[in-house]
């Protein structure tokens, strides 16, 4: 069973930065693309960013492009989300997720393509 544990959330002022981490269990982490999603109060969960299994390709939602950076360290079984220039509208619970299929070459924003999800970490950006 795959377990994903997010950390690094918190309260930050607008314009500030946070770095989220997602630690994965298991020995196959490096074979799977990973994604970050978020859910704001009263809204549906939405895609934020994805990274290929090798780390060579990334994909971002338009709302975070240029401000957020997804990366991974396969030796540590961890994926990161560096968030800069945070805005109040970035306030949400952030979730990491592992892609359904190993070695997939397609990065997707579709939640149905992700098989495992973490419990989430709260990010609150004050104005």
């Amino acid at each position: 069973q795959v377990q994903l544990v997010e950390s690094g959330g918190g309260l930050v002022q607008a314009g500030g930065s946070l770095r989220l981490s997602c630690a994965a269990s298991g020995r196959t982490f490096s074979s799977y693309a990973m994604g970050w999603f978020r859910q704001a109060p009263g809204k549906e969960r939405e895609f934020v960013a994805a990274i290929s299994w090798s780390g060579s390709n990334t994909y971002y939602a338009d709302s975070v492009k240029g401000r957020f950076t997804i990366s991974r360290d396969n030796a540590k079984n961890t994926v990161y989300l560096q968030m800069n220039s945070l805005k109040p509208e970035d306030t949400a619970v952030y979730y990491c997720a592992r892609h359904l299929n190993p070695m997939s070459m397609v990065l997707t924003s579709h939640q149905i393509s992700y098989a495992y999800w973490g419990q989430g970490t709260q990010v609150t950006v004050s104005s």
Side-chain angles (χ1 to χ4, degrees), residues 1-120:
Q1 183 72 7
V2 175
Q3 289 189 323
L4 302 174
V5 180
E6 302 95 338
S7 62
L11 174 64
V12 64
Q13 289 189 332
S17 298
L18 281 175
R19 188 196 197 200
L20 305 184
S21 299
C22 171
S25 65
R27 292 180 289 179
T28 60
F29 173 80
S30 61
S31 298
Y32 291 85
M34 298 292 295
W36 284 97
F37 292 77
R38 67 186 181 185
Q39 187 168 20
K43 295 187 177 181
E44 294 185 352
R45 189 162 57 186
E46 65 176 5
F47 170 75
V48 175
I51 188 167
S52 61
W53 55 270
S54 66
S56 59
N57 294 317
T58 57
Y59 174 42
Y60 296 94
D62 288 343
S63 59
V64 306
K65 201 173 296 182
R67 300 188 298 121
F68 290 11
T69 302
I70 188 171
S71 61
R72 66 189 298 160
D73 185 339
N74 286 340
K76 294 183 178 180
N77 277 19
T78 302
V79 62
Y80 304 98
L81 186 67
Q82 178 66 45
M83 306 185 295
N84 298 330
S85 302
L86 282 161
K87 305 175 182 180
E89 50 263 44
D90 294 318
T91 294
V93 177
Y94 283 72
Y95 301 89
C96 68
R98 198 198 79 174
H99 197 276
L100 182 62
N101 299 314
M103 313 300 276
S104 173
M105 298 302 293
V106 178
L107 295 181
T108 178
S109 61
H110 299 299
Q111 298 183 43
I112 197 171
S113 296
Y114 294 86
Y116 295 95
W117 295 80
Q119 293 293 96

